[in-house]
Amino acid sequence: MSVFSLVNQALILKALNLVGEELRDRKMLGEIMICSGHVFLLSYGWKDDGNPIDQVDISFDGKNGPIRQACERAGRAAGLLDGWVERLLPRICRDGTPQSGDFPTGMYPSWERPGLRVLAAPPRLLLPMVFLATMRPMPDTTVEDLEGAFRIAADADIRTGKGLRRLIAPYVERKAKEDSDLRKAVDHKLSLFEMGLDRFGLGPPLKFKPKSLADVAELICGNPDWFHHAMYQFQEAFYLERDRSTQQAMLDPAPVPLELAWNDAWIGAVGEHLAQRWGLTVPRWTQEGPFMGTGVPDFWSTEPTARDIEIVETPPAFRRRLLFTSAEPLMSAKFPNHMKVRMPYWA
């Protein structure tokens, strides 16, 4: 027996039309996106003052948002069970697979008078839309509410910020002189994406937890996008270790160069910097050519003022490789609080 035979499509159609009418009356365009059994409610808004539209607001509809409330009211009016959007729509979208192009895909109450759009979305569309929505305030939405998006990303083998950046780049790229605040906001959200993946155990599938920088190089060989995740895992293990001889042993093994200039230079800088910060012996391999960078300056930020601060604050191991970052470039949740640098520019 098919799923369609178990669902009263007429009632669902009635509810979707009611939602579309209500949102249209409120001059909103709502969207129900369905992917891999998960449902996401988004809203789109813009200022229509007769001028060309150059900015569209893409927002999540939270637990008490207008789309959610409209769906609940419409469901009651149509005689549908509570939570019908999440409980029924993925089932009739062929379990939410993105290939579905039939009912309930469409515009409601009509194509000519749309207030609500419904579609089964592939990850390559859903994930950029979810990302753009996170750029707006989300008072009703928590990271747990977005678990479905993290799982969809992991299933699509997008397990790093770099992987997500490639996917969302066409949606966030601006003109050559794009706003630096936008770049910083995107970078911040990408870092939160990686934290969310880690929270749900969906990060890169490392074969083992790195206990040395040599392990980091081994783990990411052939998978350069995993670099930050593997390095973060190593740093946390290093920070939790209290025995100095064990810490030294975590730095001493020489990594095999990855032949990726930035990654190799960063590995060399990390090995030298951690030895200096913890009063250990700087490993000889960190001074070898492959781990010393290319001589081309690399700045964490592209904002001129931030670059000036980075030139001042960046510690020696990174400065000598022309890797300009911050006073504490290896900061993480496990970094010992009493060791954090306090620079004059810091509040």
Side-chain angles (χ1 to χ4, degrees), residues 28-34 38-45 56-69 86 125-150 152 189 193:
M28 296 178 60
L29 175 63
E31 184 167 67
I32 300 176
M33 301 185 80
I34 305 153
H38 300 281
V39 175
F40 299 85
L41 303 184
L42 301 171
S43 64
Y44 301 83
V56 176
D57 290 336
I58 303 176
S59 305
F60 270 113
D61 190 73
K63 299 180 181 67
N64 299 307
I67 303 174
R68 173 73 59 190
Q69 296 300 314
E86 286 84 1
L125 171 64
L126 177 122
L127 293 172
M129 293 303 102
V130 168
F131 181 86
L132 291 174
T134 65
M135 302 293 287
R136 304 288 298 171
M138 302 187 300
D140 280 358
T141 306
T142 66
V143 68
E144 282 73 22
D145 297 323
L146 300 180
E147 181 177 355
F150 287 111
I152 290 169
K189 292 298 182 180
F193 169 74

Side-chain angles (χ1 to χ4, degrees), residues 88-104:
L88 296 181
L89 293 190
R91 303 296 302 277
I92 60 178
C93 280
R94 301 176 188 171
D95 292 325
T97 55
Q99 290 75 29
S100 175
D102 46 21
F103 181 81

Side-chain angles (χ1 to χ4, degrees), residues 325-340:
T325 173
S326 66
E328 206 63 86
L330 306 182
M331 185 68 68
S332 76
K334 298 293 192 298
F335 191 93
N337 188 62
H338 70 281
M339 293 183 65
K340 293 178 182 177

Side-chain angles (χ1 to χ4, degrees), residues 270-327:
V270 170
E272 181 177 326
H273 178 72
L274 289 178
Q276 293 169 342
R277 288 285 271 120
W278 265 258
L280 305 171
T281 300
V282 175
R284 187 180 300 275
W285 64 262
T286 63
Q287 311 304 301
E288 296 175 355
F291 301 103
M292 291 302 298
T294 63
V296 178
D298 180 86
F299 290 86
W300 178 83
S301 173
T302 57
E303 185 179 4
T305 302
R307 284 189 176 193
D308 292 345
I309 296 175
E310 290 170 19
I311 290 172
V312 173
E313 291 193 347
T314 298
F318 293 87
R319 288 175 65 82
R320 63 197 299 259
R321 292 168 173 83
L322 304 188
L323 299 173
F324 295 99
T325 173
S326 66

Side-chain angles (χ1 to χ4, degrees), residues 239-258:
Y239 298 152
L240 292 173
E241 184 55 59
R242 296 291 181 265
D243 182 73
R244 287 174 54 82
S245 61
T246 302
Q247 290 176 325
Q248 188 70 56
M250 297 174 77
L251 301 180
D252 283 342
V256 175
L258 298 167

Side-chain angles (χ1 to χ4, degrees), residues 206-279:
L206 301 181
K207 293 181 293 185
F208 55 88
K209 289 190 175 183
K211 295 295 185 181
S212 69
L213 290 167
D215 286 348
V216 172
E218 177 183 347
L219 286 168
I220 68 170
C221 184
N223 298 287
D225 282 0
W226 298 3
F227 181 81
H228 292 290
H229 181 74
M231 183 62 77
Y232 186 84
Q233 295 289 320
F234 164 74
Q235 288 168 205
E236 291 217 326
F238 184 89
Y239 298 152
L240 292 173
E241 184 55 59
R242 296 291 181 265
D243 182 73
R244 287 174 54 82
S245 61
T246 302
Q247 290 176 325
Q248 188 70 56
M250 297 174 77
L251 301 180
D252 283 342
V256 175
L258 298 167
E259 298 184 357
L260 298 169
W262 187 91
N263 301 73
D264 286 333
W266 192 267
I267 288 175
V270 170
E272 181 177 326
H273 178 72
L274 289 178
Q276 293 169 342
R277 288 285 271 120
W278 265 258

